Amino acid sequence: MKIGVLALQGDFREHRLALEKLGVETVEVRLAEDLEGLEGLILPGGESTTMGKLMTDYDMLEPLRAFGAAYAMWGTCAGAILLSQNVGREQPLLKLMDTELERNAFGRQIESFEIDLSVPFLEPQKPDYHATFIRGPIFKRVFGRAKPLMTLPDGTIVAAQQGHLLATSFHPELTDDLRFHRYFLELAKRPPEA
Ligand code: GLN
């Protein structure tokens, strides 16, 4: 299995390392042609406006949309923003998932926090997942084909899935816990959608 990590900006190296620990061949994707032969793609954390601008400059918006229509894609933090339909302001988005996000939703003063969350869909389900939030977005609306996957204790949605598309507000690539990367690989093993 060959999985790409979008490498325009952000923490793509950490995703590569996590995938390599699982014995997966990885490719850094910088141009549309790098998508050739991949079974899945991760959009890393970073700065979504910058990544969107670079995607536009390198003519990658349409190729990435076409890839995500067929193959597994997972966005962490800024990547989750790029997968969404709407973030309430103008910026290039892939609009692949039926989600509306609010950027930097936890405010400036609390720029980063960690919390243990229950993950009944992961294997193994226990221990709870130690999620790291760094100026992350929240999911304000998950509609249509998308389904909420994880919430904070107050009900705020912080992860969603839509078939082979996955989005998390937090950063599994910054922890040693590989359960999320394994979960994504299961999505990538599904046959491509027509
Ligand atoms: N705040 C960033 C954005 O809005 C996301 C932060 C992150 O990826 N850690 O794009």
Side-chain angles (χ1 to χ4, degrees):
M1 164 135 51
K2 217 192 294 183
I3 301 290
V5 184
L6 188 73
L8 296 175
Q9 191 266 339
D11 68 347
F12 52 89
R13 280 184 195 84
E14 286 74 8
H15 273 296
R16 276 197 77 169
L17 285 173
L19 291 169
E20 281 162 12
K21 280 188 200 154
L22 293 169
V24 174
E25 192 184 338
T26 61
V27 173
E28 291 187 1
V29 172
R30 292 194 173 80
L31 294 170
E33 64 209 48
D34 299 330
L35 295 168
E36 195 67 42
L38 299 181
E39 280 130 292
L41 180 72
I42 295 180
L43 311 176
E47 218 290 319
S48 59
T49 316
T50 307
M51 273 191 252
K53 187 175 178 317
L54 292 168
M55 282 177 186
T56 309
D57 291 351
Y58 292 107
D59 293 325
M60 290 188 75
L61 282 172
E62 284 313 319
L64 286 169
R65 282 182 188 130
F67 186 88
Y71 296 97
M73 253 196 205
W74 171 24
T76 58
C77 205
I81 292 167
L82 290 164
L83 284 171
S84 75
Q85 294 284 345
N86 183 3
V87 290
R89 50 177 276 182
E90 259 330 292
Q91 70 178 84
L93 298 172
L94 295 174
K95 302 186 186 237
L96 283 163
M97 289 184 76
D98 294 334
T99 55
E100 282 180 17
L101 271 64
E102 181 183 335
R103 291 178 60 185
N104 304 323
F106 299 103
R108 277 178 174 269
Q109 56 283 55
I110 318 162
E111 292 194 344
S112 148
F113 68 97
E114 298 179 11
I115 186 169
D116 288 336
L117 299 173
S118 95
V119 281
F121 54 95
L122 290 183
E123 186 56 52
Q125 298 180 0
K126 290 282 167 191
D128 283 353
Y129 192 82
H130 193 69
T132 306
F133 291 80
I134 304 169
R135 288 184 63 80
I138 58 168
F139 293 73
K140 284 183 73 175
R141 214 158 80 81
V142 174
F143 59 99
R145 295 158 299 164
K147 302 275 173 284
L149 196 59
M150 280 169 80
T151 52
L152 296 179
D154 70 359
T156 303
I157 302 168
V158 290
Q161 184 173 342
Q162 179 177 321
H164 58 273
L165 303 173
L166 179 65
T168 55
S169 299
F170 49 89
H171 293 272
E173 72 278 19
L174 299 181
T175 67
D176 291 330
D177 191 332
L178 296 171
R179 283 178 290 172
F180 255 100
H181 286 83
R182 256 192 230 113
Y183 184 73
F184 176 66
L185 294 178
E186 289 306 313
L187 300 183
K189 280 184 200 154
R190 293 183 182 180
E193 283 179 36

